[in-house]
Amino acid sequence: MHSAQQCFINFQQSVSDIELPERFTFPFYYKPHPLCEIAAAELQQHLKSQNQWQHNFGLEDHLNDNLETADGKMFGVLVVENSEGKIGYLAGFSGKLANQSVLPHFVPPVFDTFGDDSFYLAEQKIINNINAEIELLSASPELQQITDIVADLTAKSQTELSTLQTEMAAAKKQRKQQRVTAKSELNEQQYEALEIELAKKSVIYKIKLRDLKLHWQGQLESAQLELDKLTNQIEQLKKQRKKMSARAQKKLFQQYRFLNINGEQQDLTEIFSDTAHQVPPSGAGECAAPKMLQYAFNHNLKPIAMAEFWWGASPKSEIKKHKNYYPSCTGKCQPILGHMLAGMEVDENPLLANPGAEKKIDILYEDEHILVINKPAGLLSVAGKSIKDSVQHRLRQQFPDADGPLIVHRLDMATSGLMVIALTKRANKNLQQQFVTREVKKRYVAIVDGLIDQDEGEINLPMRGDYYDLPKQLVCFEHGKPAFSKWQVVERKGGQTKVYLYPKTGRTHQLRVHCAHHLGLNTPIVGDSLYGIIEPRLLLHAESITFEHPITNKAMHIQVDEEF
């Protein structure tokens, strides 16, 4: 059992002149408090200098790192006040570090799955034994031999039956022709005799087919019986494994019991019972944030502020930059932290605010069929779950007679720039087709938070949603949808680069991901709160659009300069 003093870390510098926050950090959208920044810097120095364990983070200053096996990690700091009124902090990591759950300097896991007294190890050993038995039986020569016999008998039976059926079809055709010829050449009595003879031949063939089927049925049933004896044994073991795994998983979920400041406790099954999938996702409860809060509540430490940062090489799919701060994930942590932060004064959720409320939509072109507008940054294209105000909502009020759905394409809430609006169903249908066939040409302008060496290039990175952390998107070569962008450098200044971006597809967050991902431009757009660093606004603007007027077929080109 860790004591409060074991994991409570004193600040190396005086922090007495730094004002404490009035409320605890809202973990899903924040700028780190100065105390958290100091704590994070100290923890990062510890990661560089410690020699008690080794882990391949994939950093350039680790000479033995192998980038193929590099494993960056999310770390967290939780500023706390102890019972004596002293301010310090806790440190935590997500998942395992150096293949261990418990390491000095860090808070322990909520439940140590692989601890010496863990039931999970014993049950996992039994499941592993079942796996070994299944593997042994599946690879046995006896199983392979009888499988080959069944396959061989099946092939032979199908060949013989097919040959006989072909012969029967030819014989039937011949008998039919005999009847046609006989009707013109034989008398009634002779024809009846022929019919009896032909009927007998038909019956003989049917009996022959029946006997052949019975022969092969007997052969196959005998071989299949031998095969079933072996496969049933494997299936029973698989059912036993599934039952044991489900039981162990449920029992494991129940071991993860999370506290809040009121001393209330809920396990993972209770916490996730009201979520869409009801079942906790893999790794739930192993992130840094719940670990640190659990330790604080268990040891009478008052949480003050929290921040999490990435340390190491970026994952292949996600966008994580070394030393950057990131919010807690929505899929795994949001339900858990919702319970753990109950009863605490927490910063308001800025995602529920409407930053576009006082901003105006500029109409740059208008006729009876379409509009072209300049959407301000911070305004939704269509209504969200908690915010009704949007381009669609406002224009529906301004143009009540419009019979179309108005919205043909969208811009992210944080992105400003040009949108084409359809006022009629006919215009909407035509414009949609132009977008589908990629006849519409768009150019965005952005400022990315880094210097790009090359002057232009192409990015082809397929994308899909991050199921555990929506609305974030992932690069996924296995299940992602094609996403293609071109880019061109406009200016380099002050450690940043201004670029033109040309999306050829329209995936959610496509330009933001293509800029930030290490296989893309490897530098996020300035102000990207999802893939970069939070700033007053995202410096991404839909600057120009070229399309064909849906009714007049006139070529349309509209451009509006960015405000940054």
Side-chain angles (χ1 to χ4, degrees):
M1 178 71 177
H2 286 65
S3 71
Q5 295 304 316
Q6 280 183 296
C7 294
F8 182 90
I9 304 171
N10 291 300
F11 280 98
Q12 296 173 14
Q13 67 182 72
S14 174
V15 294
S16 58
D17 60 336
I18 298 178
E19 188 176 351
L20 299 181
E22 294 181 3
R23 297 181 179 85
F24 188 72
T25 312
F26 178 72
F28 304 103
Y29 190 99
Y30 65 88
K31 292 199 78 168
H33 187 271
L35 286 171
C36 289
E37 292 181 313
I38 295 171
E42 292 185 4
L43 177 56
Q44 289 168 7
Q45 184 57 42
H46 171 77
L47 292 173
K48 290 180 180 179
S49 60
Q50 69 80 33
N51 55 15
Q52 295 173 292
W53 46 266
Q54 288 187 334
H55 183 90
N56 178 19
F57 290 108
L59 298 175
E60 291 181 0
D61 55 354
H62 287 62
L63 299 178
N64 294 325
D65 281 351
N66 184 331
L67 290 178
E68 287 297 318
T69 59
D71 182 22
K73 284 288 175 185
M74 190 73 79
F75 289 86
V77 289
L78 175 65
V79 178
V80 293
E81 181 182 354
N82 67 14
S83 57
E84 299 172 356
K86 189 171 185 179
I87 302 297
Y89 64 93
L90 305 176
F93 55 84
S94 294
K96 290 181 175 56
L97 182 61
N99 293 320
Q100 297 181 66
S101 299
V102 180
L103 286 172
H105 203 78
F106 297 99
V107 299
V110 176
F111 174 73
D112 189 0
T113 307
F114 298 103
D116 293 337
D117 57 348
S118 171
F119 76 92
Y120 193 78
L121 281 178
E123 298 209 6
Q124 195 62 43
K125 185 176 180 180
I126 296 172
I127 292 172
N128 289 340
N129 289 337
I130 293 174
N131 284 335
E133 195 171 351
I134 291 172
E135 189 175 341
L136 187 65
L137 287 171
S138 299
S140 70
E142 184 182 2
L143 177 62
Q144 187 60 54
Q145 183 181 18
I146 192 63
T147 300
D148 291 343
I149 289 172
V150 169
D152 186 53
L153 289 174
T154 301
K156 285 181 178 179
S157 67
Q158 289 174 345
T159 299
E160 289 196 16
L161 286 169
S162 177
T163 299
L164 179 57
Q165 286 168 337
T166 301
E167 184 182 333
M168 288 175 67
K172 182 178 181 180
K173 186 177 180 181
Q174 186 180 14
R175 292 196 300 273
K176 184 178 180 181
Q177 185 58 45
Q178 283 182 275
R179 289 189 182 94
V180 171
T181 304
K183 275 189 177 180
S184 60
E185 295 179 354
L186 302 178
N187 59 36
E188 186 176 343
Q189 192 174 14
Q190 290 172 322
Y191 185 80
E192 287 180 0
L194 178 64
E195 274 285 12
I196 293 171
E197 181 185 347
L198 294 177
K200 286 179 180 179
K201 289 182 178 180
S202 177
V203 170
I204 290 171
Y205 268 115
K206 289 178 180 178
I207 292 172
K208 192 174 181 181
L209 179 62
R210 180 201 65 189
D211 291 345
L212 187 60
K213 285 181 177 180
L214 288 172
H215 166 74
W216 283 116
Q217 185 178 341
Q219 294 275 317
L220 282 167
E221 284 180 353
S222 177
Q224 189 65 47
L225 191 62
E226 292 299 316
L227 180 59
D228 289 345
K229 287 179 183 178
L230 295 172
T231 55
N232 287 343
Q233 189 177 355
I234 294 172
E235 286 305 312
Q236 288 302 314
L237 286 169
K238 286 182 178 179
K239 287 179 181 178
Q240 182 185 355
R241 178 182 63 185
K242 184 177 180 180
K243 188 176 180 180
M244 284 197 68
S245 295
R247 185 178 66 192
Q249 191 70 66
K250 184 177 180 181
K251 189 175 178 181
L252 180 63
F253 289 153
Q254 292 170 342
Q255 306 310 305
Y256 283 82
R257 301 183 182 95
F258 298 89
L259 288 165
N260 60 28
I261 203 165
N262 297 323
E264 298 164 340
Q265 188 169 256
Q266 284 190 348
D267 65 37
L268 280 177
T269 56
E270 294 170 315
I271 288 173
F272 280 86
S273 62
D274 292 331
T275 62
H277 299 291
Q278 298 185 323
V279 177
S282 175
E286 290 291 341
C287 295
K291 285 182 183 179
M292 295 186 299
L293 284 168
Q294 183 79 351
Y295 187 89
F297 295 141
N298 264 325
H299 295 88
N300 196 28
L301 299 170
K302 180 185 176 182
I304 303 296
M306 183 186 76
E308 294 175 282
F309 64 87
W310 184 261
W311 186 263
S314 176
K316 292 181 179 179
S317 296
E318 294 178 80
I319 295 170
K320 294 285 190 290
K321 298 292 182 184
H322 181 53
K323 291 188 177 183
N324 272 15
Y325 293 96
Y326 291 96
S328 299
C329 62
T330 56
K332 296 179 183 180
C333 287
Q334 194 167 46
I336 297 172
L337 296 182
H339 159 70
M340 298 190 83
L341 297 179
M344 290 176 58
E345 288 192 52
V346 180
D347 287 338
E348 291 185 5
N349 180 359
L351 301 175
L352 297 179
N354 179 15
E358 303 301 322
K359 295 183 178 181
K360 178 187 173 185
I361 296 175
D362 292 325
I363 298 177
L364 306 176
Y365 175 87
E366 178 182 350
D367 63 29
E368 59 184 314
H369 304 288
I370 65 170
L371 307 172
V372 179
I373 67 163
N374 182 21
K375 184 188 85 69
L379 182 65
L380 289 167
S381 294
V382 298
K385 290 182 179 179
S386 57
I387 301 174
K388 185 177 182 180
D389 184 30
S390 62
V391 170
Q392 187 178 46
H393 178 69
R394 292 190 191 182
L395 294 181
R396 180 65 68 193
Q397 293 179 317
Q398 189 173 349
F399 297 88
D401 296 330
D403 65 354
L406 298 178
I407 302 299
V408 180
H409 64 118
R410 304 183 187 187
L411 293 178
D412 288 347
M413 181 181 189
T415 305
S416 62
L418 295 170
M419 290 179 66
V420 183
I421 306 298
L423 297 177
T424 65
K425 291 180 180 178
R426 181 183 171 191
N428 179 73
K429 184 176 180 180
N430 180 282
L431 287 168
Q432 278 192 333
Q433 184 61 29
Q434 289 188 54
F435 274 97
V436 168
T437 55
R438 300 178 185 173
E439 296 172 54
V440 179
K441 307 300 179 187
K442 293 182 288 182
R443 184 174 80 185
Y444 290 71
V445 63
I447 296 179
V448 296
D449 198 16
L451 293 175
I452 302 173
D453 294 332
Q454 297 180 9
D455 292 332
E456 60 182 22
E458 300 177 351
I459 303 169
N460 187 5
L461 296 174
M463 295 167 53
R464 67 167 175 83
D466 184 346
Y467 309 130
Y468 290 140
D469 204 10
L470 293 172
K472 286 185 178 179
Q473 304 294 303
L474 298 174
V475 168
C476 181
F477 290 94
E478 185 176 1
H479 302 294
K481 294 180 179 179
F484 183 80
S485 309
K486 289 186 175 182
W487 59 271
Q488 181 182 17
V489 169
V490 179
E491 181 184 20
R492 299 176 181 91
K493 185 178 180 181
Q496 297 178 334
T497 308
K498 186 175 185 178
V499 292
Y500 286 143
L501 300 169
Y502 305 89
K504 301 303 177 185
T505 50
R507 308 300 172 207
T508 302
H509 298 175
Q510 176 176 315
L511 296 178
R512 297 165 69 175
V513 170
H514 278 185
C515 286
H517 197 272
H518 69 281
L519 295 177
L521 294 184
N522 195 30
T523 178
I525 298 173
V526 173
D528 194 334
S529 61
L530 288 177
Y531 309 105
I533 299 173
I534 296 174
E535 297 291 349
R537 71 150 290 182
L538 174 71
L539 300 190
L540 176 63
H541 176 75
E543 183 186 55
S544 72
I545 190 165
T546 302
F547 62 99
E548 188 178 90
H549 193 286
I551 307 302
T552 66
N553 298 327
K554 178 185 175 182
M556 305 283 293
H557 175 77
I558 298 178
Q559 180 169 327
V560 60
D561 294 338
E562 83 283 354
E563 298 176 356
F564 48 80

